[in-house]
Amino acid sequence: MKMHMRKHPRRYLFRLTFVLAALAFTNIASAHMLNMTHIEVQTQEIEPTKITLRIDLGQSLMSADEYWTLANAPSAEQAMLMRNVKEQLDAGLRFEVDGTTASPTLQSWDFPAVSLAAIENPLTPQMATLTYHLSAIPRDSIGVSLADDFAVPWPCLVRLDIAGRELPVSRLLTSYDRNSGSVALHGATTGEDVDIGALMVSASQDWLPSLSWVVIGFQHIIPRGLDHIAFVLGLFFLSTGLRPLLLQVTGFTIAHSLTLGLAMYGFVSVPAAIVEPLIAASIVYVALDNLYASHLAPFRMLVVCAFGLLHGLGFAAVLQEIHMPQESFAQALLLFNVGVELGQIAVIAGAFALVGAFRSRSWYSSGIAHPATMGIAGVGAYWLLKRTIF
Amino acid sequence: MTPEPTKQWKSLLGIAAITATLFGMETATSMVVPDDLVFDVNSRVEGVFPETWIHGSKSAMDNTDPAVQVHRYNAHTYILRENKAINYEGAFMYLFFGNQKALLIDQGSTSSPALFPLRDVVDGIITAWEKAHQRTNTQLIVANSHLHGDHYAAWNQFVDRPDTLMVGLTHEEVMAYWGFDDYPEQRVTYDLGGRQFIVTGTPGHQSSEIALYDTWTDLLYTGDMLYRGRLYLEDWQAWKASIKRLRDMADDYPVAHLVNNHIEMTATPTIDYPIGTTWQPDEPPMQMTLDMLNTAVSASTEIERPGIYKYDHFLIYNEVPWAYTTDP
Ligand SMILES: [Zn+2]
């Protein structure tokens, strides 16, 4: 084993850091993690938001002796004895109400302690309770975070009881993940009180993890959205020029974004049994129209937009099957749509890359566009039959 | 420049031919595409436990074991264990598959994705399972046996996972998800994509704990309220009633094995490893038998006072402040 280590000093170093890190975790304090920190946030309609912090002070921000002294001091002296701890808490605990920082004010405290030995033993946590008020009454969202240099007994469970909501919301803060993100007070799915400004704020906050929604949107075109690919290719094979193509795709995009949003917020709902066959019919229509018309008629532009509305409902149906994060609903929806658009652009770009160079050739129509359009019509007819009769 | 009529007919014929071909291809592939998995309630599907679990190492420095041991109990049931060198709790976690759904019970004792990449491991299992069974779009449900931090430390790793449902870490969220309106007495039937579980309340160690009975494997999962180790009971009366509920469950349903969250005993009866042990070369199996459940039932009727009570396969710490833990 030693030989092996000498040969691979780097690996040894890695192992050593692993072990040091591991040792930090293999602390007896983590038995059932009984002394983990709790933050409870309770919003109310008119009264200030109440925050309850339960923390093992004698194992974190103060020594066990200091905590024992604090616990036994008459309440008049406690404010003095806890001054240092209060400063650390004021700097370490951060609240955000409707996107702006809000500072809590300490209302009351309770410092129980059975014995000094109990404080010293992490298996018998003597949890201090501190109660705060937030003067700003949240209307749209609330968030909790812990400053980077603020260490509490980890992890820290955040429980949010939001006025008017049946169930609490839970968040876990760890030394790696110190921010709860902003938690929306209203379930966005109800479609009530949608404040676009606040939504944009929350959409711009910690957006990085949500990038996965762009990926999901993209995947609903490539590879999963075969019917949408067929439709977009149908548009591609009609247009001899770039302008009519862009016009159609733009109209289609605006239309499907509109119905996707409306459907996801519950404003419209059309059963899949109606939407799905119509989407298939739209593919057949566009393809047949390609075979008989060689330019973009204004009527066709209208039809394409109408079909866009349908396709939006189709996206909504698949999206509704996925569990959407309630508190960042608008953001997820927006990013999903971005992904859909990127997928659409990729389809057109791919088609251009394959056959774009031959668009001006005399045989393009009979050799490429015509057979491709027939293929699209055939696939559309297959879906149409499958979604209606079979 | 509208094409001439014969050409139009030819096009339509071509389209019809393509449509017909697609129907033909569909019929052909439908013979290959798998049907829904069937999880028969009435017959037991067996699985295997490892001979021994990975049980830490003498020196943590020499530990080259994976952060998470993945054990395939059977085709649709996985048991995971956290490396004891990362956290001595060596907690077990469970991943059950049904049609379109996977249920992850517990997320270990370590939060750091670098030290304990549970999310990556679970993603890997799901991807491999989907590939093996030709499936996609499996929704992951992230749930917990009970609400102690050593069983949800890596919960955050799943928060931004697509197609994932986080049950939540408050008592109310847990009750709402499983559909309890009369916890803990109630038995609820939980459907994991055609795989039926019977879920009941088992408080005593912690006041939101649940036990699950899987009708497909006949495994009875007892979490932290019954395992080979120190059973810390914060509420004796609650635990006593929960043990009785488990016994009733075993009377009503055939049980293959009792499975759970930790191993703290040695293979020698009544002797446990000291708390904090990161190397357990002499571990008994994790799974337990109905005899051991019966011992717990009689213990629940014998014990009347707080204290430490030793049994062959587990120790009961009845409402004992943990400070007085007297490990050998
Ligand atoms: Zn526990």
Coordinates of all heavy atoms in Angstrom, one line a residue, chain A residues 5 15-16 19 22 25-27 30-34 36 121 123-124 157 159 167-168 170 172 174 176-177 209 216 224 291-292 323 370 374-375 377-379 381-382 386 390, chain B residues 3 8 11 14-15 18-19 22-23 26 60-61 64 85-89 109 111-112 115 137 148-150 152 155-156 160 162 164 168-170 172-173 176 205 224 278 322-323:
Chain A
M5 N 1.3 4.4 -2.7 CA 1.1 5.8 -2.4 C 2.2 6.6 -2.9 O 2.1 7.7 -3.4 CB 0.9 6.0 -0.9 CG -0.5 5.6 -0.5 SD -0.7 5.9 1.2 CE -2.3 5.3 1.5
R15 N -6.6 11.6 -1.3 CA -7.1 10.7 -0.3 C -7.1 11.4 1.1 O -8.0 11.3 1.9 CB -6.3 9.4 -0.3 CG -7.2 8.3 0.2 CD -6.4 7.0 0.2 NE -6.5 6.3 -1.1 CZ -5.9 5.2 -1.4 NH1 -5.1 4.7 -0.5 NH2 -6.1 4.6 -2.5
L16 N -6.0 12.1 1.3 CA -5.8 12.8 2.5 C -6.8 13.9 2.7 O -7.5 14.0 3.8 CB -4.4 13.4 2.6 CG -4.0 13.9 4.0 CD1 -3.9 12.8 5.0 CD2 -2.7 14.6 3.9
V19 N -10.0 12.4 3.5 CA -10.1 11.9 4.9 C -10.3 13.1 5.8 O -11.1 13.0 6.7 CB -8.9 11.1 5.2 CG1 -8.8 10.9 6.7 CG2 -8.9 9.8 4.5
A22 N -13.7 14.1 5.5 CA -14.5 13.1 6.1 C -14.5 13.1 7.6 O -15.6 13.0 8.2 CB -14.1 11.7 5.6
F25 N -16.8 15.4 9.1 CA -18.2 15.0 9.2 C -18.4 13.8 10.1 O -19.5 13.7 10.6 CB -18.6 14.5 7.8 CG -18.9 15.7 6.9 CD1 -17.8 16.3 6.1 CD2 -20.1 16.3 6.9 CE1 -18.1 17.4 5.4 CE2 -20.3 17.4 6.1 CZ -19.3 18.0 5.4
T26 N -17.4 13.0 10.3 CA -17.5 11.9 11.2 C -17.4 12.4 12.6 O -16.7 11.9 13.4 CB -16.5 10.9 10.9 OG1 -16.4 10.7 9.5 CG2 -16.8 9.5 11.5
N27 N -18.2 13.4 12.9 CA -18.3 14.0 14.2 C -19.4 13.4 14.9 O -20.5 13.2 14.4 CB -18.4 15.5 14.0 CG -18.4 16.2 15.4 OD1 -18.9 15.7 16.4 ND2 -17.7 17.4 15.4
S30 N -23.2 14.5 14.7 CA -24.2 14.3 13.7 C -25.1 13.1 14.0 O -26.0 12.8 13.2 CB -23.5 14.0 12.4 OG -22.7 12.9 12.4
A31 N -25.0 12.5 15.2 CA -26.0 11.4 15.5 C -27.4 11.9 15.4 O -27.8 12.7 16.2 CB -25.7 10.9 16.9
H32 N -28.1 11.4 14.5 CA -29.5 11.8 14.2 C -29.6 13.3 14.0 O -30.7 13.8 13.8 CB -30.4 11.3 15.3 CG -30.5 9.8 15.4 ND1 -31.6 9.1 14.9 CD2 -29.6 8.9 15.8 CE1 -31.3 7.8 15.1 NE2 -30.1 7.7 15.6
M33 N -28.5 14.0 14.0 CA -28.4 15.4 13.8 C -29.4 16.1 14.7 O -30.2 17.0 14.3 CB -28.6 15.8 12.4 CG -27.5 15.2 11.5 SD -27.5 15.7 9.8 CE -26.0 15.0 9.2
L34 N -29.4 15.7 15.9 CA -30.5 16.3 16.8 C -30.3 17.8 17.1 O -31.2 18.4 17.5 CB -30.4 15.5 18.2 CG -30.9 14.1 18.1 CD1 -30.8 13.4 19.4 CD2 -32.3 14.0 17.5
M36 N -29.4 20.0 14.9 CA -29.4 20.8 13.7 C -30.3 22.1 13.9 O -31.1 22.1 14.8 CB -29.9 20.1 12.5 CG -31.3 19.5 12.7 SD -31.9 18.5 11.2 CE -32.4 19.8 10.1
N121 N -22.6 18.1 25.6 CA -22.8 16.9 24.8 C -23.7 17.1 23.6 O -24.9 17.5 23.8 CB -23.4 15.8 25.8 CG -23.6 14.5 25.1 OD1 -23.5 14.4 23.9 ND2 -23.7 13.4 25.9
L123 N -25.2 15.2 21.9 CA -26.4 14.3 21.9 C -27.5 14.7 22.7 O -28.6 14.2 22.7 CB -25.9 12.9 22.3 CG -24.8 12.3 21.4 CD1 -24.5 10.9 21.8 CD2 -25.3 12.2 19.9
T124 N -27.3 15.7 23.6 CA -28.4 16.3 24.4 C -28.4 17.8 24.1 O -28.1 18.6 25.0 CB -28.1 16.0 25.9 OG1 -26.8 16.5 26.2 CG2 -28.3 14.6 26.3
L157 N -32.9 23.5 8.8 CA -34.2 23.3 8.1 C -35.0 24.6 8.2 O -35.1 25.2 9.3 CB -34.9 22.2 8.8 CG -36.3 21.9 8.3 CD1 -36.2 21.3 6.9 CD2 -37.1 20.9 9.2
R159 N -38.7 26.2 7.7 CA -40.1 25.9 7.5 C -40.8 27.2 7.3 O -40.7 28.1 8.1 CB -40.6 25.2 8.7 CG -42.1 24.9 8.7 CD -42.6 24.6 10.1 NE -44.0 24.6 10.1 CZ -44.8 23.4 10.2 NH1 -44.2 22.3 10.4 NH2 -46.1 23.5 10.1
L167 N -50.5 24.0 3.3 CA -49.3 23.3 3.7 C -48.1 24.2 3.9 O -48.0 25.2 3.2 CB -49.0 22.2 2.7 CG -49.9 21.0 2.6 CD1 -49.4 20.1 1.5 CD2 -49.9 20.3 3.9
P168 N -47.2 23.9 4.8 CA -46.0 24.6 4.9 C -45.1 24.3 3.7 O -45.3 23.3 3.0 CB -45.4 24.1 6.2 CG -46.0 22.8 6.5 CD -47.3 22.8 5.8
S170 N -41.0 23.5 2.8 CA -39.7 23.3 3.5 C -38.5 23.5 2.6 O -38.6 23.3 1.4 CB -39.7 21.9 4.1 OG -40.1 20.9 3.2
L172 N -34.0 23.3 2.8 CA -32.9 22.9 3.6 C -31.7 23.8 3.2 O -31.4 23.9 2.1 CB -32.6 21.4 3.3 CG -31.6 20.7 4.3 CD1 -32.3 20.7 5.7 CD2 -31.3 19.4 3.8
T174 N -27.6 24.2 3.7 CA -26.4 23.5 4.2 C -25.3 24.5 3.9 O -25.4 25.6 3.4 CB -26.2 22.3 3.3 OG1 -25.8 22.6 2.0 CG2 -27.5 21.4 3.3
Y176 N -23.2 24.3 1.9 CA -23.0 24.4 0.4 C -24.1 25.2 -0.3 O -24.0 25.6 -1.4 CB -22.9 23.0 -0.2 CG -21.9 22.1 0.5 CD1 -22.4 21.3 1.6 CD2 -20.6 22.1 0.2 CE1 -21.5 20.6 2.3 CE2 -19.7 21.4 0.9 CZ -20.1 20.6 2.0 OH -19.3 19.9 2.7
D177 N -25.2 25.3 0.4 CA -26.4 25.8 -0.2 C -27.1 26.7 0.8 O -27.9 26.2 1.6 CB -27.3 24.6 -0.5 CG -27.7 24.5 -1.9 OD1 -27.9 25.5 -2.5 OD2 -27.9 23.3 -2.3
P209 N -29.5 27.1 -11.7 CA -30.0 25.8 -11.6 C -31.2 25.5 -12.5 O -31.4 24.4 -12.9 CB -30.4 25.6 -10.1 CG -29.9 26.9 -9.5 CD -29.6 27.9 -10.5
I216 N -35.2 21.0 -20.9 CA -36.5 20.3 -21.0 C -37.3 20.8 -22.2 O -37.9 20.1 -23.0 CB -37.3 20.4 -19.7 CG1 -36.5 19.7 -18.6 CG2 -38.7 19.7 -19.9 CD1 -37.2 19.8 -17.2
R224 N -38.2 14.8 -28.6 CA -39.5 14.2 -28.3 C -40.6 14.9 -29.0 O -41.7 14.3 -29.1 CB -39.8 14.4 -26.8 CG -38.9 13.6 -25.9 CD -39.2 13.7 -24.5 NE -38.0 13.5 -23.6 CZ -37.9 13.9 -22.4 NH1 -38.8 14.6 -21.9 NH2 -36.8 13.7 -21.7
L291 N -47.8 21.8 -51.4 CA -47.8 21.1 -52.7 C -48.5 21.9 -53.7 O -48.3 21.8 -54.9 CB -48.4 19.7 -52.6 CG -47.6 18.7 -51.7 CD1 -48.3 17.4 -51.6 CD2 -46.2 18.5 -52.3
Y292 N -49.5 22.8 -53.2 CA -50.3 23.5 -54.2 C -50.0 25.0 -54.3 O -50.4 25.6 -55.3 CB -51.8 23.3 -53.8 CG -52.1 21.8 -53.9 CD1 -52.5 21.1 -52.7 CD2 -52.0 21.1 -55.0 CE1 -52.8 19.8 -52.7 CE2 -52.2 19.7 -55.1 CZ -52.6 19.1 -53.9 OH -52.9 17.7 -53.9
H323 N -43.6 17.8 -13.0 CA -43.9 18.5 -11.8 C -43.1 19.8 -11.9 O -41.9 19.9 -12.0 CB -43.3 17.7 -10.6 CG -43.6 18.4 -9.3 ND1 -44.8 18.4 -8.8 CD2 -42.8 19.0 -8.5 CE1 -44.8 19.1 -7.6 NE2 -43.5 19.5 -7.5
H370 N -40.4 18.7 -52.8 CA -41.6 18.0 -53.0 C -41.7 16.6 -52.3 O -42.6 16.4 -51.5 CB -41.8 17.8 -54.5 CG -43.2 17.3 -54.9 ND1 -44.2 18.2 -55.2 CD2 -43.7 16.1 -55.0 CE1 -45.3 17.5 -55.5 NE2 -45.0 16.2 -55.4
M374 N -44.1 15.6 -49.1 CA -45.0 14.4 -49.2 C -44.8 13.6 -47.9 O -45.7 13.1 -47.3 CB -44.7 13.6 -50.4 CG -45.5 14.1 -51.6 SD -44.9 13.2 -53.1 CE -45.1 11.5 -52.8
G375 N -43.5 13.5 -47.5 CA -43.2 12.7 -46.3 C -43.9 13.3 -45.1 O -44.5 12.6 -44.3
A377 N -46.5 15.2 -45.0 CA -48.0 15.0 -45.1 C -48.3 13.6 -44.7 O -49.3 13.3 -44.0 CB -48.4 15.3 -46.6
G378 N -47.5 12.6 -45.2 CA -47.7 11.2 -44.8 C -47.7 11.0 -43.3 O -48.6 10.3 -42.8
V379 N -46.7 11.5 -42.7 CA -46.5 11.4 -41.3 C -47.7 12.1 -40.5 O -48.3 11.5 -39.6 CB -45.2 12.0 -40.8 CG1 -45.1 12.0 -39.3 CG2 -44.0 11.2 -41.4
A381 N -50.7 12.6 -41.7 CA -51.9 11.8 -41.9 C -51.9 10.6 -41.0 O -52.9 10.2 -40.4 CB -52.0 11.4 -43.3
Y382 N -50.7 10.0 -40.8 CA -50.6 8.9 -39.9 C -51.0 9.2 -38.5 O -51.8 8.6 -37.8 CB -49.2 8.3 -40.0 CG -48.7 7.5 -38.8 CD1 -49.1 6.1 -38.7 CD2 -47.8 7.9 -37.9 CE1 -48.7 5.3 -37.7 CE2 -47.4 7.2 -36.8 CZ -47.8 5.8 -36.7 OH -47.4 5.1 -35.7
K386 N -54.2 8.0 -36.3 CA -53.9 7.4 -35.0 C -54.6 8.1 -33.8 O -55.1 7.5 -32.9 CB -52.4 7.4 -34.7 CG -51.8 6.1 -34.8 CD -50.3 6.1 -34.3 CE -50.2 5.9 -32.8 NZ -50.4 4.6 -32.4
F390 N -57.7 5.3 -34.7 CA -57.0 4.1 -34.2 C -56.6 4.3 -32.7 O -56.2 5.3 -32.3 CB -55.8 3.7 -35.0 CG -56.2 3.4 -36.4 CD1 -56.0 4.3 -37.5 CD2 -56.8 2.1 -36.7 CE1 -56.4 3.9 -38.8 CE2 -57.1 1.8 -38.0 CZ -57.0 2.7 -39.0
Chain B
P3 N -49.4 22.4 -59.9 CA -49.1 21.2 -60.7 C -50.3 20.7 -61.4 O -51.4 20.9 -61.0 CB -48.6 20.3 -59.7 CG -48.6 21.0 -58.4 CD -49.3 22.2 -58.5
Q8 N -50.9 15.8 -59.1 CA -51.5 15.9 -57.8 C -51.9 14.6 -57.3 O -51.7 14.2 -56.1 CB -52.7 16.8 -57.9 CG -52.4 18.3 -58.0 CD -53.6 19.2 -58.0 OE1 -54.6 18.7 -57.5 NE2 -53.4 20.4 -58.5
S11 N -49.0 12.6 -56.1 CA -48.6 13.1 -54.8 C -49.5 12.5 -53.6 O -48.9 12.0 -52.6 CB -48.7 14.6 -54.7 OG -47.8 15.2 -55.6
G14 N -48.7 9.0 -53.1 CA -47.4 8.9 -52.4 C -47.6 9.1 -50.9 O -47.1 8.3 -50.1
I15 N -48.4 10.1 -50.6 CA -48.7 10.4 -49.2 C -49.4 9.2 -48.5 O -49.0 8.8 -47.4 CB -49.5 11.7 -49.0 CG1 -48.7 12.9 -49.5 CG2 -50.0 11.9 -47.6 CD1 -49.5 14.2 -49.7
I18 N -47.0 6.5 -47.8 CA -46.1 6.8 -46.6 C -46.9 6.5 -45.3 O -46.4 5.8 -44.4 CB -45.6 8.2 -46.6 CG1 -44.6 8.4 -47.8 CG2 -45.0 8.6 -45.3 CD1 -44.3 9.9 -48.1
T19 N -48.1 7.0 -45.3 CA -49.0 6.7 -44.1 C -49.1 5.2 -43.8 O -49.0 4.8 -42.7 CB -50.3 7.4 -44.3 OG1 -50.2 8.8 -44.6 CG2 -51.2 7.3 -43.0
L22 N -46.0 3.7 -42.4 CA -45.9 4.0 -41.0 C -46.7 3.1 -40.1 O -46.3 2.6 -39.1 CB -46.2 5.5 -40.7 CG -45.2 6.5 -41.2 CD1 -45.7 7.9 -41.1 CD2 -43.9 6.3 -40.3
F23 N -48.0 2.9 -40.6 CA -48.8 2.0 -39.8 C -48.2 0.6 -39.7 O -48.2 -0.1 -38.7 CB -50.2 1.9 -40.4 CG -51.1 3.0 -39.8 CD1 -51.5 4.1 -40.5 CD2 -51.6 2.8 -38.5 CE1 -52.3 5.1 -39.9 CE2 -52.4 3.8 -37.9 CZ -52.8 4.9 -38.7
E26 N -45.4 0.6 -37.3 CA -45.9 0.6 -36.0 C -46.3 -0.7 -35.5 O -45.9 -1.1 -34.4 CB -47.0 1.6 -35.9 CG -47.4 1.9 -34.4 CD -48.8 2.3 -34.2 OE1 -49.4 3.0 -35.1 OE2 -49.4 1.9 -33.2
A60 N -9.7 5.4 8.0 CA -10.5 6.1 7.0 C -9.6 6.5 5.8 O -10.0 6.6 4.6 CB -11.1 7.4 7.5
M61 N -8.3 6.7 6.0 CA -7.4 7.1 5.0 C -7.3 6.0 3.9 O -7.1 6.3 2.7 CB -6.0 7.3 5.6 CG -4.9 7.8 4.6 SD -3.4 8.1 5.4 CE -3.8 9.6 6.3
T64 N -11.2 3.2 0.1 CA -11.3 3.4 -1.4 C -12.7 3.0 -1.9 O -12.9 2.9 -3.0 CB -10.2 2.7 -2.2 OG1 -10.2 1.3 -1.7 CG2 -8.9 3.3 -2.0
A85 N -17.1 5.5 6.2 CA -15.9 6.4 6.4 C -16.3 7.8 6.2 O -15.6 8.8 6.6 CB -14.8 6.0 5.5
I86 N -17.4 8.1 5.5 CA -17.9 9.4 5.3 C -18.7 9.8 6.4 O -18.6 10.9 7.0 CB -18.6 9.6 3.9 CG1 -17.7 9.3 2.8 CG2 -19.3 11.0 3.8 CD1 -18.4 9.3 1.4
N87 N -19.6 9.0 6.8 CA -20.4 9.2 8.0 C -20.7 7.9 8.7 O -21.2 6.9 8.1 CB -21.7 9.9 7.7 CG -22.4 10.4 8.9 OD1 -22.8 9.6 9.8 ND2 -22.6 11.7 9.0
Y88 N -20.3 7.8 10.0 CA -20.4 6.6 10.7 C -21.8 6.0 10.8 O -22.0 4.9 11.1 CB -19.9 6.7 12.1 CG -20.8 7.5 13.1 CD1 -21.8 6.9 13.8 CD2 -20.6 8.9 13.2 CE1 -22.7 7.6 14.6 CE2 -21.5 9.6 14.0 CZ -22.5 8.9 14.7 OH -23.4 9.6 15.5
E89 N -22.8 6.9 10.5 CA -24.2 6.4 10.6 C -24.4 5.3 9.6 O -25.2 4.4 9.8 CB -25.2 7.5 10.2 CG -25.3 8.6 11.3 CD -26.1 8.2 12.5 OE1 -26.6 7.1 12.6 OE2 -26.3 9.1 13.4
S109 N -26.6 11.1 5.4 CA -26.2 11.9 6.5 C -25.2 13.0 6.1 O -24.7 13.7 7.0 CB -25.6 11.0 7.6 OG -26.4 9.9 7.9
S111 N -24.3 16.3 3.5 CA -24.9 17.2 2.5 C -24.0 17.4 1.3 O -24.5 17.5 0.2 CB -25.1 18.6 3.1 OG -26.0 18.5 4.2
S112 N -22.6 17.4 1.5 CA -21.7 17.8 0.4 C -21.8 16.9 -0.8 O -21.6 15.7 -0.8 CB -20.3 17.7 1.0 OG -19.4 17.6 -0.1
L115 N -18.4 15.1 -1.4 CA -18.1 13.9 -0.6 C -19.1 12.8 -0.8 O -18.8 11.6 -0.8 CB -18.2 14.3 0.9 CG -17.0 14.9 1.6 CD1 -17.3 15.2 3.0 CD2 -15.8 13.8 1.5
N137 N -38.7 9.0 -19.0 CA -39.5 9.9 -18.3 C -40.0 9.3 -16.9 O -41.1 9.4 -16.6 CB -40.8 10.3 -19.0 CG -40.5 11.0 -20.3 OD1 -39.5 11.7 -20.4 ND2 -41.3 10.8 -21.3
H148 N -35.4 13.1 10.6 CA -34.1 13.4 11.3 C -33.1 13.8 10.3 O -33.0 13.1 9.2 CB -33.7 12.2 12.1 CG -34.2 12.2 13.5 ND1 -34.3 11.0 14.3 CD2 -34.8 13.1 14.3 CE1 -34.8 11.3 15.5 NE2 -35.1 12.5 15.5
G149 N -32.3 14.8 10.6 CA -31.3 15.3 9.6 C -30.4 14.3 9.1 O -29.9 14.4 7.9
D150 N -30.1 13.2 9.8 CA -29.2 12.2 9.3 C -29.8 11.3 8.2 O -29.2 10.4 7.7 CB -28.6 11.3 10.4 CG -29.6 10.5 11.2 OD1 -30.8 11.0 11.3 OD2 -29.3 9.5 11.7
Y152 N -31.9 13.0 5.8 CA -32.2 13.9 4.6 C -31.1 14.9 4.3 O -31.3 15.9 3.6 CB -33.6 14.6 4.8 CG -33.8 15.5 6.0 CD1 -33.1 16.7 6.1 CD2 -34.8 15.2 6.9 CE1 -33.3 17.5 7.2 CE2 -35.0 16.0 8.0 CZ -34.3 17.2 8.1 OH -34.5 18.1 9.1
W155 N -30.7 16.0 0.8 CA -32.0 16.4 0.2 C -31.9 17.4 -0.9 O -32.5 17.4 -2.0 CB -33.0 16.8 1.3 CG -34.4 17.0 0.9 CD1 -35.4 16.1 0.9 CD2 -35.1 18.3 0.7 NE1 -36.6 16.7 0.6 CE2 -36.4 18.0 0.5 CE3 -34.6 19.6 0.7 CZ2 -37.4 19.0 0.3 CZ3 -35.6 20.6 0.4 CH2 -36.9 20.3 0.2
N156 N -31.1 18.5 -0.6 CA -30.9 19.6 -1.5 C -30.4 19.2 -2.9 O -30.6 19.9 -3.8 CB -30.0 20.6 -0.9 CG -30.7 21.8 -0.2 OD1 -31.9 21.7 -0.2 ND2 -30.0 22.7 0.2
D160 N -33.3 20.8 -7.6 CA -33.4 21.3 -9.0 C -33.4 20.2 -10.0 O -33.2 20.4 -11.2 CB -32.3 22.3 -9.2 CG -30.9 21.6 -9.2 OD1 -30.8 20.5 -8.7 OD2 -29.9 22.2 -9.6
P162 N -34.9 17.8 -12.6 CA -36.2 17.9 -13.4 C -37.0 16.6 -13.1 O -36.5 15.6 -12.8 CB -35.7 17.8 -14.9 CG -34.3 18.3 -14.8 CD -33.7 17.8 -13.5
T164 N -39.0 15.8 -10.8 CA -38.8 15.3 -9.4 C -39.8 15.9 -8.5 O -40.1 17.1 -8.6 CB -37.4 15.6 -9.0 OG1 -36.5 15.1 -9.9 CG2 -37.1 15.1 -7.5
G168 N -41.1 16.9 0.9 CA -41.0 17.9 1.9 C -40.5 17.4 3.3 O -40.6 16.2 3.5
L169 N -40.0 18.4 4.1 CA -39.4 18.0 5.4 C -40.2 18.4 6.6 O -39.6 18.5 7.7 CB -38.0 18.5 5.4 CG -37.1 18.1 4.2 CD1 -35.7 18.8 4.3 CD2 -36.9 16.5 4.3
T170 N -41.5 18.7 6.4 CA -42.3 19.0 7.6 C -43.3 17.9 7.7 O -43.7 17.3 6.7 CB -43.0 20.4 7.4 OG1 -43.9 20.3 6.3 CG2 -42.0 21.5 7.2
E172 N -46.5 18.1 8.2 CA -47.7 18.3 7.4 C -47.5 17.9 5.9 O -48.4 17.3 5.3 CB -48.1 19.8 7.4 CG -48.6 20.3 8.8 CD -47.4 20.7 9.7 OE1 -46.3 20.3 9.5 OE2 -47.7 21.5 10.7
E173 N -46.4 18.2 5.3 CA -46.1 17.9 4.0 C -46.1 16.3 3.8 O -46.6 15.8 2.8 CB -44.8 18.5 3.5 CG -44.9 20.0 3.2 CD -43.5 20.5 3.0 OE1 -42.7 20.6 4.0 OE2 -43.1 20.9 1.9
A176 N -49.6 15.0 4.0 CA -50.4 15.3 2.8 C -49.9 14.4 1.7 O -50.8 13.9 0.9 CB -50.2 16.8 2.5
H205 N -39.7 6.8 17.7 CA -38.3 7.3 17.5 C -38.4 8.7 17.1 O -37.6 9.6 17.6 CB -37.5 6.4 16.5 CG -36.2 7.0 16.1 ND1 -35.1 7.1 16.9 CD2 -35.9 7.7 14.9 CE1 -34.1 7.7 16.2 NE2 -34.6 8.1 15.0
D224 N -36.1 3.7 11.2 CA -35.3 3.9 12.4 C -36.0 3.3 13.7 O -35.5 3.4 14.8 CB -34.9 5.4 12.7 CG -33.5 5.7 12.2 OD1 -33.0 4.9 11.4 OD2 -33.0 6.7 12.7
T278 N -16.5 3.6 12.8 CA -16.4 3.7 11.3 C -15.9 2.5 10.6 O -15.6 2.4 9.5 CB -15.6 4.9 10.9 OG1 -14.3 4.8 11.5 CG2 -16.2 6.2 11.3
W322 N -29.7 11.2 25.8 CA -28.6 10.6 25.2 C -27.3 10.8 25.9 O -26.3 10.1 25.6 CB -28.6 11.1 23.7 CG -29.7 10.5 22.9 CD1 -30.8 10.0 23.4 CD2 -29.8 10.5 21.5 NE1 -31.7 9.6 22.4 CE2 -31.1 9.9 21.2 CE3 -29.0 10.8 20.5 CZ2 -31.5 9.7 19.9 CZ3 -29.4 10.6 19.2 CH2 -30.7 10.1 18.9
A323 N -27.3 11.8 26.8 CA -26.1 12.0 27.5 C -25.6 10.8 28.3 O -24.4 10.6 28.6 CB -26.3 13.2 28.5

